[in-house]
Amino acid sequence: MSLSHAQATQRFYDVIWPLRGALLRTASFLMSPGSQAEDLVQETLMKAFRAIESLDVKSNPQAWLMSILRNTRIDKLRAQARSPETVGLEDLDVAAPLSPPERADQNIDPAETLEQFSDREIIRALQQLPEDIRWTLLLVDVEQMEYEQAAAILDIPAGTAKSRVHRGRMMLRNSLLAAGAANGEAS
Amino acid sequence: MNAEPLRDEDAVQRAVASRLGKLRSFPVDTSRVDRVMRRQIPPVAARKRWRWMGQLSAAAASILIIVSLMFVMLPGRAVQASASEMAQMHYDIVSGKVPTMKADSIQEANEAIAAMAGNSVRLPDSPSAHTMSCCMRDIGNKKVACVLLEDGGAAVTMSVAQAKDMKPSAAPAQIYNGITYHVTSIGKLNMVTVERGGKWICLMSETKAERLMQLADRLKL
C-alpha cells in the first residue's frame, strides 16, 4: 500500500528528521573544510523523503540514511568527473603499527596522548585520510555501528571493514603524532 | 616473538576508537538545513494529523489543551526543571538534534540569544570553559538561554533563566565555597543547579559534579 503525501511527510519527520544532526556531522567530517556538506545533507534528505516508502521502520533508519548519503556523495563526485578516492589496502602507506614517528614517547599512555589533541585537530587529521578509510572510521568509531552494518553501507565484506578500521586508526594516530611533532619543532 | 608490541597496538586501537567516539557529541548547527528542508517539505499541519480522531474528540482535546495552557501560563507561576527534562535538553543540544547557533564566546552567545528573544536572560561569562554554541529552549512556558561549553574535553550545557521563573530544586544540597548548590545525577549525567544574582543556573555534563560546582563558582555574573 502506498503512502499518501501526508503520511510520507509524517514518516519523514518522525523517523528521519531526528537523524539529521548525525547526518550533517558525518558529512562535515567526511568532506574537506569549505566544501558543501550542507548541500550534500539536503540532497540526501530529499532523496530519503522520495524513497521513504522503501524504508522499513523496524530496520536501522540511520544505516539506511547513511547509504543514501554515501550514494549521493558518489553521484556528486562522479558528476564532477571525479571518483571518490579509493585505496587498496596494499597501497596504504601505513607505517608499521609499532613504528610511530620518532618523537612519540612510547611510554605515554596512547589514550592520554590522543586527549591532548582538540576535536578540530582530530577532524582535520581524519579529513586527510583516504575517503574509503575515512568512511569506515566515521561509521564504526564515530557513529558506533557494527562492522557488518558499516560493511553493508559501504558495500564491502565485513573483513575489509575491519582491516580498514584497524589501519585507519593507526594512520590517524600516526598523522596526529606527526602533526604534533611538526608543531613542536615549529614552536 | 615479543607480545609487548601487540599489547601496545591494542592499546592504540582502543585509544583511537575511544577518541573518535567522542566526536559523536561534536555539536553541529542544523539551522540552515532545517530552514531549507522545512521549506521544501512542509511538515504536516497538526489539524491534518487529527482528522482520523473525528471532529468531536478533536474539539474536546482542543478545549483541554486551551484550559491546560491557560493554567500553565498564569503569570508569575514558577516551573520545575526536572532532571530528566534537563538531561534530554543536554543530549539534544550536544547531539545537534536541536538547532543551535555557533558562538565562540559568551558575548557572542548573548548577542545571538538577544537576537532570538530580545528580553531574555543574559548568560554569565564562563572564563574557564570554551564556548561552542547556543540556543533558546522552553521549560514549561519559561524561556531558558542555553549554551554548550567545552570544559577539559567534556561537553557541558549551561542553562540560565530568571530565578523567579524557576522552582527551587528538590535535589540534595551541597555547599561549595560558601554557595549552596543542588546536585543530582541522571544516568551518566551530573546536574548542578544554583541561584546566583537573580539567575537560575543549571550545569549538566558527564564530568564530575565537583567540577561543575567549580565551573559555576567561576562564573562572572
Side-chain angles (χ1 to χ4, degrees):
Chain A
M1 203 178 89
S2 68
L3 297 174
S4 69
H5 183 78
Q7 286 171 323
T9 305
Q10 200 52 52
R11 187 183 281 188
F12 176 81
Y13 277 101
D14 286 346
V15 182
I16 302 303
W17 195 245
L19 300 171
R20 69 197 188 287
L23 198 65
L24 182 56
R25 184 172 55 234
T26 303
S28 314
F29 293 172
L30 184 68
M31 297 164 78
S32 50
S35 52
Q36 304 295 309
E38 287 181 347
D39 288 352
L40 179 67
V41 168
Q42 284 161 21
E43 209 173 317
T44 303
L45 288 171
M46 282 309 296
K47 283 185 182 173
F49 175 67
R50 284 187 218 112
I52 196 86
E53 263 187 67
S54 68
L55 168 66
D56 175 5
V57 285
K58 288 178 193 155
S59 68
N60 184 339
Q62 189 177 2
W64 183 76
L65 205 53
M66 289 295 178
S67 293
I68 301 177
L69 177 73
R70 181 169 179 269
N71 291 335
T72 309
R73 166 88 170 139
I74 292 171
D75 290 347
K76 270 176 125 49
L77 289 171
R78 281 191 185 142
Q80 290 164 14
R82 283 169 53 194
S83 61
E85 192 182 339
T86 54
V87 62
L89 288 181
E90 67 282 6
D91 298 330
L92 293 178
D93 182 21
V94 186
L98 295 163
S99 308
E102 299 286 316
R103 294 187 54 166
D105 186 342
Q106 297 282 346
N107 297 320
I108 294 179
D109 174 15
E112 216 173 279
T113 308
L114 288 168
E115 289 304 328
Q116 290 167 12
F117 294 94
S118 69
D119 283 354
R120 288 193 191 283
E121 285 169 322
I122 304 271
I123 294 165
R124 215 174 298 132
L126 197 55
Q127 285 167 338
Q128 284 161 8
L129 299 181
E131 180 145 338
D132 286 358
I133 298 279
R134 204 181 320 154
W135 259 114
T136 324
L137 286 180
L138 284 174
L139 296 178
V140 174
D141 282 346
V142 180
E143 295 304 325
Q144 321 257 293
M145 287 186 178
E146 301 290 335
Y147 283 113
E148 289 72 18
Q149 220 163 35
I153 292 170
L154 301 172
D155 204 14
I156 52 174
T160 307
K162 276 186 195 177
S163 309
R164 285 186 187 173
V165 165
H166 186 272
R167 286 175 183 259
R169 286 173 184 164
M170 300 313 290
M171 288 170 85
L172 184 75
R173 181 259 197 164
N174 289 353
S175 149
L176 283 165
L177 291 181
N183 287 345
E185 276 164 14
S187 57
Chain B
M1 192 180 144
N2 188 358
E4 200 61 33
L6 288 176
R7 263 211 303 278
D8 289 350
E9 193 178 329
D10 280 350
V12 169
Q13 289 282 325
R14 278 196 306 275
V16 177
S18 158
R19 186 65 187 84
L20 284 176
K22 289 182 182 170
L23 292 182
R24 211 175 175 204
S25 59
F26 190 83
V28 287
D29 180 4
T30 62
S31 55
R32 274 176 51 185
V33 170
D34 289 0
R35 269 199 306 277
V36 173
M37 293 312 298
R38 282 184 192 279
R39 239 188 351 255
Q40 295 194 12
I41 310 170
V44 181
R47 58 189 165 80
K48 285 188 184 167
R49 297 178 67 185
W50 285 8
R51 230 175 242 169
W52 65 273
M53 291 172 68
Q55 288 184 342
L56 191 65
S57 52
S62 304
I63 292 167
L64 187 65
I65 289 169
I66 290 167
V67 171
S68 309
L69 279 175
M70 283 170 66
F71 182 75
V72 170
M73 292 174 74
L74 283 175
R77 182 177 286 271
V79 297
Q80 181 83 62
S82 69
S84 57
E85 192 175 7
M86 295 310 294
Q88 186 61 52
M89 195 187 287
H90 172 89
Y91 284 127
D92 285 350
I93 292 171
V94 168
S95 66
K97 273 191 183 174
V98 295
T100 56
M101 296 183 74
K102 278 181 191 165
D104 288 328
S105 66
I106 291 292
Q107 190 188 338
E108 264 186 47
N110 273 324
E111 284 166 10
I113 284 168
M116 281 186 261
N119 56 352
S120 63
V121 65
R122 285 185 71 77
L123 296 160
D125 196 8
S126 174
S128 56
H130 172 59
T131 307
M132 301 182 82
S133 60
C134 64
C135 62
M136 287 297 291
R137 305 294 295 159
D138 292 320
I139 296 177
N141 61 335
K142 306 298 180 191
K143 291 281 177 205
V144 180
C146 304
V147 63
L148 176 63
L149 304 168
E150 185 192 3
D151 178 56
V156 179
T157 49
M158 176 168 69
S159 308
V160 182
Q162 301 285 3
K164 64 179 171 55
D165 288 344
M166 309 303 288
K167 283 185 185 170
S169 171
Q174 277 189 38
I175 295 178
Y176 178 85
N177 212 7
I179 296 170
T180 304
Y181 295 87
H182 292 276
V183 180
T184 188
S185 60
I186 176 165
K188 287 181 181 174
L189 284 175
N190 285 310
M191 171 174 161
V192 167
T193 52
V194 63
E195 278 189 31
R196 285 180 62 193
K199 288 173 182 171
W200 171 88
I201 300 165
C202 173
L203 291 162
M204 291 206 85
S205 176
E206 289 185 9
T207 200
K208 285 182 181 171
E210 290 73 23
R211 178 78 186 169
L212 293 178
M213 285 189 280
Q214 278 174 12
L215 197 63
D217 187 52
R218 290 190 206 125
L219 293 175
K220 290 185 177 169
L221 294 157

